[in-house]
Amino acid sequence: MRAAGEERTTDMVWSGSWVTERLGVELVGDGRPDGDRELRELLGLALRRNPKRAHLLVSNVLGKHVPQKPSVVYGAGFELGRRVRALLGEAEALRAVVLGYAETATGLGHAVADGLGVAPYLHSTRRPVDGVARAGGFEESHSHATSHLLLPEDPALLAGGRGDGEAPDAVADAPLVLVDDEFSTGNTVLNTIRALHERYPRGRYVVVALVDMRSPADRVRLAAFAAEIGARVDLVARCSGTVTLPDGVLEKGRALVAAQEQAGSGGREARSPGLEAKSSGPEADSLHRDSDSPGPAAGSLGPKSDSPGPEADSPGPAAVVGTERRTCTRVDLRWPAGVPDGGRHGFTPVHRAALERALPAMADRVAAALGGARRVLVLGFEELMYAPLRLAAALEERTDAEVRYSTTTRSPVLAVDDPGYAIRSRLVFPAHDNPADGPGDRYAYNVAGAGFDAVVVTVDSAADTPELHAPDGLLARLAAHTDRVLLAVVPSYVPSYARPCTPAHAPDPHVFDPGAPDPYAPDSPDPYVSDPHVSERQEPPTVLPEPLRGPAFSSYAPDEVGWLLQDLSHVELEAPVEEREEAIQSGGAHYAESLPVEYQPSDQYQSLFKAALELSAARVARAVGTVTETVLAERTPRPVLVSLVRAGTPVGILMRRWARHRHGLDLPHYAVSIVRGRGIDANALRWLAAHHDPADVVFVDGWTGKGAITRELAEALAEFDGTKRPEEAEGVVRAGGSGGFDPEIAVLADPGGCVRTYGTREDFLIPSACLNSTVSGLVSRTVLRSDLVGPDDFHGAKFYRELADSDVSGHFLDTVTACFDEVADAVDAEVAALPAADRTPTWEGWAAVERISEEHGIHDVNLVKPGVGETTRVLLRRVPWKILARRGAGADLDHIRLLARQRGVPIEEVDELPYTCVGLIHPKYTRGATGANGRAVEPK
């Protein structure tokens, strides 16, 4: 039978026919013409060693019992997540939390969370963790191991938080998405919702599974339960149908299992042909012989010997099968610091973004260790499903090998070597993670005899124990069936408050390949390493965190920009414009210590934005092309774009897109905070210096006004070079080659005459200036406040997920990008003329601002905001006094005129203005200095 997602072979036997013929268990589709076929493509049948349920639905896309392409396994969960996202809508999807079930659905639930986009993820677990309190639990009545624990690092996650310390009330009543591999009766879902609803009530649940096999009575029961608790419960399944069970199926099933086991005669490895071997006669139905017998045997990691001697007691990394030595090699994945191994304690979108960046390099390290292997199995471990799945998927993308993925399990299932049965072979080995319920057998299905010439065993460090490496352990069992066994260990994540200090111990000699580096060599990374057989407790990273990326932070795609910021979305920072203005002008607060309430544009204003975008998109594209080509030609051929949050970020993304469109360059792009009077984020500079050559860093902004930020950046960089610790300064000089960062800013428009690198010096409408976060990836302006930003923290900002329905960030970028080809010739002509042009900064804008400040009796240049972009900001964020507009200014000021009317602000037309317009902030503002309509009144 083909697995779902693979090429169909019409003459294959369905892998449930053996059970159906003997027990009468049948799968019936949902009544659609292809319902039966789709159900059988997705599922096979096997028999359990479980007194509570005779049959087992064996999924072909779950990656638990049947090795499958990792892209198919991950794609199945991801697509379900997309369906949930469509069901909830963008706004609710941004608030959702996903809970998966151990052990079979831990990876599936994680993939569903990925499909949702920004959902934090938690899965239940059967592994208690010392020092971590239970935040809940429930029972799975039909399971082999019934008790589920909920152990989130941040209990607020289950109450509706984001799993990263965010206060629950910030996303109160967030939808909870529960993910299991199948709905058989719905009992598990009922037990879960009942237990959670008592402690964390909410109004909506979404239940997700690959297959929904409930009876009509089960469906009615769940609907009645939802009505009882007053919550909406939706169901999303890839396929649906029912299981028909004849009378007495439990007794018949137990008898059939006993008969098959007796027919198996208890021998070890008696059958040598592969899984596709054809059998006939009585042996065709026999239990496939597995590795149940203790003692020395083929596949042992110890040398094969019938007599005592030194070798018999000194196990090493080699397995002996006949006369052939097979090596178990440890692969150092270099798992990213601070990223959990899975969702046992919670997995946030920030963790997801960090893992995405690290996966290609980890897959390359595994590929290098595989040598010439052509058929590879990545084998996960019980609840550890997601990490090996993503590793396998990356390996599938980056190699020519045929890659499959599955995991070990604690569930005992009968194995029968028949093409009409879903579990064709079985490996048995002792548990190797010191389980709380004591020692016992564990299983790997459909691996023996499957023809894999390499198996990559992926476990967490809590499971990297002597039992794993024992003569009857998993590695030894696998060595009998493949030419090469690789071991990749992911550090077991434990919440920081539960982390003990583990001293170093001598590693067991059979853990390491003889060719591996000596762990006690002088350059060993840490003299206090973890015992390789004790959980490797991940400590918080001592280096600065990795950049935030969308969709976890911002609505931009993750490759468009990395934000060197900390997420303050959980903090209430907004204050009314009038209160902020009074505090700022009185000296009671700095403007960066709070945020204005986000302006919500009217329908009329949104229409103006769309019209302005259509009118100016080509003009913006031309400026983008000119400034990007100037950077590539004059600054550095390998620029690292660093935009100044927030006006610079859309420009940086457009410059990155131009470089890719015209030159095939994939430029790094980050966003950093700079605050007038406080300087640029020094920690962001340290991060950039550690990861890139500072000489390649090009700072990007949207436009210049009077040049305040240009001066601020130059002063901040000079201070940074002078105040770094000696070793840091040396690192920057050495990395930069030219002594450090270049303070020159590249801008789209330079009407103030403040810089040399620009797209134009005209003061025209850049549509991204018309709005706030909804045209800037839903990110706020930056915040710098001592109680929120420590000495080792990035500056902060908020992600306004709740404004997703109003977001036009992508629309703005795509509209401008669509004009690139149209303006290419004009850009080439402008760039060709640049060498002959005098681009020396004139600071004309600064002189004009000083003159305007005195002429209008303001006497403070900080209250004069020149240019279309800055004037728009005054009207959206500050308390405006009046607007000066160049006489005869046209459509570039339509949105200015509308905002001014809405706020009751007069517009004065003037001559000899170097800008299209200038916004003046009220110079003597108190809450009594403006009328209800916002107009200025005489101070008392």
Side-chain angles (χ1 to χ4, degrees), residues 442-780:
R442 299 294 186 262
Y443 310 91
Y445 296 113
N446 290 328
V447 176
F452 295 111
D453 44 52
V455 177
V456 182
V457 180
T458 308
V459 302
D460 59 18
S461 53
D464 185 16
T465 61
E467 289 80 7
L468 176 68
H469 304 269
D472 62 343
L474 173 60
L475 300 181
R477 296 298 188 222
L478 291 169
H481 298 278
T482 185
D483 294 329
R484 182 173 304 190
V485 177
L486 274 60
L487 176 62
V489 180
V490 179
S492 299
Y493 183 85
V494 176
S496 56
Y497 55 77
R499 292 171 181 148
C501 181
T502 303
H505 292 274
D508 192 302
H510 63 255
V511 173
F512 298 97
D513 186 46
D518 179 1
Y520 297 115
D523 59 349
S524 181
D526 186 354
Y528 281 88
V529 294
S530 298
D531 184 331
H533 300 147
V534 176
S535 177
E536 190 176 309
R537 315 286 193 176
Q538 282 201 22
E539 297 298 330
T542 56
V543 296
L544 290 166
E546 289 299 297
L548 304 175
R549 293 185 183 271
F553 185 85
S554 88
S555 60
Y556 293 133
D559 62 328
E560 299 267 35
V561 59
W563 303 84
L564 294 174
L565 298 170
Q566 63 165 315
D567 187 355
L568 298 180
S569 300
H570 59 287
V571 182
E572 187 67 35
L573 293 167
E574 290 76 14
V577 170
E578 291 79 7
E579 290 183 12
R580 292 184 75 249
E581 193 66 44
E582 182 176 19
I584 291 168
Q585 291 199 32
S586 68
H590 190 277
Y591 78 90
E593 294 178 348
S594 63
L595 294 173
V597 177
E598 280 286 303
Y599 170 71
Q600 297 301 304
S602 64
D603 291 342
Q604 184 181 6
Y605 189 82
Q606 291 184 45
S607 298
L608 267 180
F609 167 79
K610 294 175 182 176
L613 180 56
E614 292 177 5
L615 183 68
S616 61
R619 198 174 179 185
V620 173
R622 182 172 173 175
V624 167
T626 299
V627 70
T628 308
E629 296 293 348
T630 303
V631 166
L632 293 172
E634 298 182 357
R635 297 285 295 275
T636 170
R638 52 184 188 280
V640 177
L641 304 178
V642 178
S643 58
L644 304 179
V645 178
R646 122 181 112 174
T649 305
V651 178
I653 294 174
L654 287 169
M655 291 176 66
R656 185 178 184 277
R657 288 188 177 189
W658 179 277
R660 175 180 285 179
H661 183 76
R662 289 296 303 275
H663 303 288
L665 298 175
D666 192 9
L667 303 182
H669 176 215
Y670 306 98
V672 303
S673 168
I674 187 169
V675 176
R676 180 172 52 80
R678 302 284 180 87
I680 197 168
D681 188 338
N683 286 322
L685 294 181
R686 291 188 180 97
W687 190 95
L688 290 166
H691 292 79
H692 298 281
D693 186 338
D696 288 333
V697 169
V698 176
F699 293 100
V700 175
D701 207 356
W703 54 83
T704 63
K706 53 183 175 286
I709 291 299
T710 305
R711 296 186 181 206
E712 189 79 42
L713 179 63
E715 293 171 1
L717 291 177
E719 182 179 356
F720 178 75
D721 278 334
T723 60
K724 295 188 302 294
R725 293 186 291 271
E727 65 273 16
E728 291 176 332
E730 178 186 358
V732 171
V733 172
R734 183 172 59 250
S738 61
F741 297 98
D742 187 338
E744 174 80 12
I745 302 179
V747 298
L748 203 60
D750 179 36
C754 307
V755 300
R756 295 187 72 260
T757 308
Y758 52 82
T760 180
R761 275 188 165 156
E762 297 179 8
D763 182 20
F764 75 101
L765 172 60
I766 301 172
S768 59
C770 292
L771 299 168
N772 286 328
S773 68
T774 52
V775 79
S776 303
L778 300 182
V779 173
S780 74

